[in-house]
Amino acid sequence: MEPQRRLVEPFYFLGNRVGCLLIHGFSGSPSEMRLMGERLTEFGWSVLGVKLSGHGTSPEEMAKTNWEDWAKDAEVGVRKLRESCDIVIGVGLSMGGLLALHLGTLGIIDGLITMNAPMILADRRTRFVRFVRPFMTYVEKPKSKPVASVAKSKTASSVTEPKAERFVYERIPVDALISLNRGIRQVRSKLYAIKCPALLMQSTRDLTVNPISVEIIRKKIQQVNPGVIYWEKSGHILTLGQERDEVVLKVHEFLQRFVEKKELQQS
């Protein structure tokens, strides 16, 4: 699949002095975060959507990168936003949420928002992927299953996510998946270091990240009393799902409360 430039290139929308660092997920691209970025800009916030190394190109390029590269990309994004913003909030989807937590453990952001950040992946086979490395270089991404919902009539039906443009790999480098698992372990072991305000979001029907992940994070960072929001109708890509408009509003409200509290402290 040849990526369209608009879907995979990073984006920067200059607004006020509060910057949102939008970080996409594993094997994805900035296309997962662009719609949120455009909406947040309409509220006046500055937005930087980064493209992680090896993403938005080809699985072969991704195979040359690892967790350390992606963490460095996120850190560079913070420094870029600091050039024009006094406040930087990390906002990440899936592995992007894991990277936002990583930035929080470093103490280089002022607040963070995670969406379906992984502590435990839903597919148990991913935990043992290192054992197939001698035999396989790439694995095929599992086909998405319909998200089941129960209608008022109590009969099961499938929920169709709104169509949205997104570029993502269908083949995953085994080495990259091994590196992601390493990143999860590293971040999980350092969550106690987070001191900034946090909002954690989780789709209850996430088929990629085990929803118990958000409770693991909440307990590990209880020192900052994080907010937790569960979404009942969306799948893993929360930024493009059925509740995407409400998700943006919750991010906006978090930013508003952050600024109001900051101003109150300074007055």
Side-chain angles (χ1 to χ4, degrees):
M1 179 180 178
E2 186 68 25
Q4 296 180 31
R5 181 175 174 79
R6 188 180 65 82
L7 295 181
V8 300
E9 64 185 5
F11 53 88
Y12 180 47
F13 306 135
L14 183 61
N16 58 26
R17 302 288 292 182
V18 178
C20 301
L21 180 66
L22 303 189
I23 316 171
H24 65 79
F26 180 77
S27 79
S29 64
S31 59
E32 298 171 343
M33 309 301 290
R34 179 173 281 272
L35 181 60
M36 172 173 281
E38 292 171 348
R39 298 282 174 82
L40 290 175
T41 301
E42 291 174 1
F43 285 115
W45 311 108
S46 289
V47 172
L48 173 61
V50 296
K51 182 172 83 71
L52 302 175
S53 296
H55 290 71
T57 53
S58 68
E60 289 72 23
E61 287 300 311
M62 186 181 185
K64 302 174 186 177
T65 65
N66 56 35
W67 168 258
E68 287 72 25
D69 296 316
W70 310 326
K72 187 180 298 182
D73 295 333
E75 293 164 28
V76 170
V78 174
R79 292 197 293 271
K80 175 66 177 175
L81 271 177
R82 290 286 182 200
E83 294 174 5
S84 58
C85 296
D86 302 318
I87 295 170
V88 173
I89 308 295
V91 184
L93 170 70
S94 191
M95 185 180 77
L98 189 68
L99 287 165
L101 291 168
H102 163 71
L103 297 174
T105 67
L106 297 180
I108 62 174
I109 53 176
D110 302 290
L112 65 88
I113 299 173
T114 68
M115 297 171 283
N116 297 336
M119 289 289 110
I120 299 176
L121 297 173
D123 190 338
R124 293 182 179 181
R125 294 172 297 178
T126 58
R127 304 174 204 173
F128 308 105
V129 69
R130 65 185 184 280
F131 296 118
V132 307
R133 180 61 185 89
F135 315 102
M136 300 177 65
T137 306
Y138 297 90
V139 292
E140 294 293 324
K141 182 174 288 188
K143 298 298 181 184
S144 298
K145 301 175 184 177
V147 180
S149 68
V150 179
K152 289 183 180 179
S153 62
K154 295 185 180 182
T155 58
S157 62
S158 63
V159 174
T160 303
E161 300 270 353
K163 295 280 186 181
E165 291 183 293
R166 176 183 175 226
F167 179 81
V168 62
Y169 297 146
E170 298 302 326
R171 284 189 306 134
I172 306 298
V174 171
D175 284 343
L177 193 50
I178 293 172
S179 191
L180 170 61
N181 284 331
R182 184 172 72 251
I184 291 173
R185 292 192 299 271
Q186 289 179 3
V187 172
R188 185 168 175 171
S189 69
K190 297 176 181 177
L191 289 175
Y192 66 87
I194 292 177
K195 306 299 181 191
C196 63
L199 174 62
L200 314 176
M201 300 190 195
Q202 178 64 53
S203 302
T204 59
R205 300 177 183 189
D206 194 337
L207 299 178
T208 301
V209 168
N210 189 321
I212 199 173
S213 292
V214 74
E215 280 302 309
I216 294 173
I217 299 169
R218 183 187 65 80
K219 290 177 182 178
K220 292 282 187 178
I221 66 169
Q222 57 185 338
Q223 66 272 14
V224 299
N225 192 27
V228 179
I229 300 176
Y230 286 96
W231 300 95
E232 305 291 339
K233 300 177 182 178
S234 301
H236 182 60
I237 309 302
L238 190 53
T239 51
L240 299 177
Q242 291 194 28
E243 297 159 303
R244 59 194 184 190
D245 292 336
E246 294 93 331
V247 170
V248 171
L249 283 176
K250 290 300 181 183
V251 173
H252 170 60
E253 290 169 4
F254 176 89
L255 296 171
Q256 279 187 315
R257 288 194 301 272
F258 186 97
V259 171
E260 289 169 359
K261 186 174 182 180
K262 199 83 170 177
E263 291 174 345
L264 191 61
Q265 291 172 342
Q266 294 173 349
S267 62

